[in-house]
Amino acid sequence: MYGNRDCHLFRNSSHHLSSATFLTEGGEVAEAIMSSNMAKLPLMRHIVKRGLASAAPRALESDLPIQTSVMANKIQVVSLENSSPIVRVAVQIKAGSRYETPENLGAAHVLRSACGLTTKGLSTFAITRLIQERGANLWAVNDRDSISYILECYVQSLEPCLKVLTSVTTEQLFQPWELAENLSRVKYELALVPPQARVLDMLHGAAYRTGLGNSLFIPKYLLGSQGTETLRHFVENTFLGSRTVISTSGLSHGAAKAFAERISFPEGSGSGLGTTSQYYGGELRKRGKGMAHIAIAADGAGINQKEALAFGILQHALGAGARVKYGTGAGSLAKLVSEAAAGEPASVSALNISHQDAGLFGVVISCEPKVAGKVTEAAMKALKAGNVSEEAIKRGKSGLKAAVLLAAENTSILTQDIGQQALLKGSVDSTGAVAAAIDSVSSSDVNNAARRVASGKLSMAALGDISNVPFIDQLK
């Protein structure tokens, strides 16, 4: 909720089991690539008679109370009861790519892609049929910190759908022949990763090297190497009760706790897992065709660090990209880049990515190769300014609050977000509390964040036709 996390930046790294998805041939990818959205048709609701009395206005979902509990099996439960006819349940586990080792690189990607394959209790066909017959959706999405299995269904179909979710999360088999057949899906996903996502993935590799530097996507040279034993070992070491949060909406807290009791994950803390988040700084470049895509960042703040909100405000103060079609966006960043591009196509946005205990703050650019040098230098000028005006800070606070409140209007995003907060922060803040916290951030806090970026060691990733893109040691 405090900044753009990987799961929001890389929406292509999810796997749907929905009726819209399974009609395609050769494997499917996420909603960002295929637009296989969860609600293509109007939701059916009961028609009631018109009364003479006016009903009380319905409370915003972001204002509804959030309940939390920790079960005997160490699983944390977070629920938002909104009386919706659609129930959403997310099982979120600290099993992202940062927990991979050199021996199992790409395991998190393959694990997410394997969502819906045969389990101990259900075959792939049975899972697909049970979900489709009830008009439900089941998908998985992963980032560097976690993997989430998400179910959406009508309340009337809740019980059989929860049985499928339980089986998918706790009874994976990873049959060798199914993993071999699933390889085409993984290749298809890799082929459709947009260059903007790829350059941000490279940026993490340059900044952190290992741990958070592990790619969200399995390297092509390792395709087919993550077999049954590798995936089982990865799951056994990461799918633990103390590393799991179940977040729900449209479900009573008691029902959410009853579901959590069914999840039988082993005990343990997973303390032996590598979680490297040390920031090093570096540069990765990959030449190709087409436009130039550049990402530059310094050390930022993690979601559980007090500076997180200050960096979020700074992002919107500099300019978080255009909000309207063909727009250039507000802030000094967009103005400087637009002048440097001199009429050539160029887009820029301030970048703020928050992980559990670390973050990156910088800029991401896409432009014509011939103006890449000037555009990059202009973006660096804004990034290295080291101070922000009061007017820009005010605009930044308004922009961040708008982003938080707009995200909270989407119940699916809100359900996942409260779970991510519990998983990564250990506590959950309501949308109103976050908005109030944004208002309480002082101008000096934002300017301290700006100075930290200006004086920090940079990381850089460049992709495409980068012949005119300066190297990191040439940027001042």
Side-chain angles (χ1 to χ4, degrees):
M1 184 172 283
Y2 299 153
N4 296 327
R5 300 190 62 255
D6 277 335
C7 58
H8 300 135
L9 290 168
F10 297 107
R11 275 298 184 191
N12 56 298
S13 60
S14 65
H15 171 200
H16 275 266
L17 296 182
S18 63
S19 54
T21 311
F22 268 80
L23 292 175
T24 60
E25 183 72 18
E28 312 78 28
V29 289
E31 61 262 31
I33 292 179
M34 295 189 54
S35 297
S36 54
N37 295 322
M38 292 160 285
K40 294 287 188 182
L41 300 175
L43 302 179
M44 300 300 295
R45 290 182 172 87
H46 294 292
I47 300 175
V48 298
K49 293 181 179 180
R50 179 184 177 184
L52 296 179
S54 60
R58 182 177 180 270
L60 294 174
E61 292 186 355
S62 57
D63 295 330
L64 294 174
I66 299 171
Q67 295 180 275
T68 62
S69 297
V70 179
M71 309 303 295
N73 56 9
K74 306 300 182 182
I75 293 177
Q76 189 171 356
V77 178
V78 185
S79 68
L80 177 72
E81 191 171 352
N82 58 359
S83 302
S84 170
I86 302 295
V87 175
R88 295 170 175 87
V89 182
V91 180
Q92 306 185 57
I93 309 157
K94 287 184 181 178
S97 60
R98 69 181 299 174
Y99 300 107
E100 296 171 351
T101 65
E103 290 73 33
N104 61 10
L105 284 177
H109 180 180
V110 178
L111 175 64
R112 186 262 307 155
S113 183
C115 173
L117 298 185
T118 298
T119 66
K120 293 179 181 178
L122 296 169
S123 67
T124 300
F125 174 78
I127 292 171
T128 306
R129 183 188 64 185
L130 288 169
I131 291 297
Q132 289 188 352
E133 280 182 344
R134 290 159 178 82
N137 291 316
L138 173 64
W139 75 97
V141 59
N142 71 310
D143 58 23
R144 285 178 165 80
D145 291 297
S146 64
I147 183 170
S148 302
Y149 296 88
I150 305 159
L151 170 71
E152 292 191 344
C153 67
Y154 291 102
V155 66
Q156 298 91 335
S157 306
L158 179 61
E159 187 57 32
C161 290
L162 285 180
K163 290 181 179 179
V164 175
L165 180 60
T166 303
S167 186
V168 166
T169 54
T170 65
E171 300 179 341
Q172 303 100 321
L173 289 179
F174 306 119
Q175 305 284 18
W177 53 91
E178 287 192 325
L179 292 178
E181 292 175 354
N182 192 59
L183 192 57
S184 60
R185 181 202 304 276
V186 177
K187 291 179 179 178
Y188 185 54
E189 292 175 358
L190 290 176
L192 293 181
V193 176
Q196 293 85 356
R198 184 69 72 183
V199 78
L200 291 180
D201 198 55
M202 292 169 59
L203 180 66
H204 280 80
Y208 298 108
R209 301 180 186 174
T210 59
L212 286 174
N214 292 342
S215 175
L216 283 173
F217 314 105
I218 183 172
K220 290 184 178 180
Y221 70 90
L222 290 177
L223 283 171
S225 65
Q226 307 302 348
T228 301
E229 293 304 318
T230 300
L231 294 179
R232 285 180 179 174
H233 185 266
F234 185 75
V235 167
E236 288 171 359
N237 283 275
T238 55
F239 281 44
L240 307 174
S242 60
R243 299 169 61 85
T244 303
V245 169
I246 295 176
S247 57
T248 69
S249 62
L251 198 62
S252 70
H253 193 62
K257 291 196 294 182
F259 170 68
E261 291 175 348
R262 303 183 193 177
I263 305 297
S264 56
F265 286 151
E267 296 183 0
S269 62
S271 57
L273 294 170
T275 59
T276 303
S277 60
Q278 181 179 349
Y279 180 87
Y280 293 97
E283 181 174 11
L284 289 175
R285 300 167 72 97
K286 186 175 181 180
R287 293 185 178 274
K289 297 180 180 179
M291 298 185 72
H293 305 278
I294 308 106
I296 305 170
D299 192 16
I303 192 174
N304 58 4
Q305 296 173 333
K306 63 180 181 179
E307 301 90 354
L309 286 177
F311 277 101
I313 294 170
L314 180 60
Q315 178 193 18
H316 288 269
L318 291 179
R323 296 299 182 186
V324 295
K325 192 173 184 180
Y326 304 125
T328 58
S332 58
L333 182 60
K335 181 180 179 181
L336 289 170
V337 167
S338 179
E339 292 173 352
E344 295 291 336
S347 65
V348 64
S349 174
L351 173 71
N352 180 39
I353 304 176
S354 294
H355 301 288
Q356 180 177 5
D357 53 353
L360 293 174
F361 188 93
V363 294
V364 58
I365 306 163
S366 294
C367 63
E368 283 291 330
K370 62 182 178 181
V371 296
K374 293 181 179 179
V375 166
T376 302
E377 291 172 357
M380 280 302 303
K381 183 178 179 181
L383 199 62
K384 288 286 190 178
N387 62 80
V388 188
S389 67
E390 287 293 331
E391 180 183 356
I393 291 174
K394 183 178 179 180
R395 184 179 63 248
K397 287 185 176 182
S398 298
L400 182 57
K401 285 194 294 183
V404 169
L405 294 171
L406 285 172
E409 290 183 359
N410 186 318
T411 310
S412 180
I413 293 176
L414 183 60
T415 304
Q416 296 176 57
D417 184 77
I418 60 177
Q420 285 289 312
Q421 288 190 58
L423 189 69
L424 303 181
K425 287 178 56 194
S427 61
V428 182
D429 296 322
S430 67
T431 305
V434 174
I438 292 171
D439 285 329
S440 68
V441 176
S442 67
S443 298
S444 61
D445 291 334
V446 179
N447 277 300
N448 285 338
R451 285 190 287 271
R452 176 174 161 181
V453 172
S455 60
K457 186 177 182 180
L458 295 177
S459 298
M460 179 177 177
L463 175 68
D465 187 345
I466 55 175
S467 53
N468 293 320
V469 177
F471 288 84
I472 195 170
D473 60 356
Q474 298 173 314
L475 297 173
K476 298 180 180 180

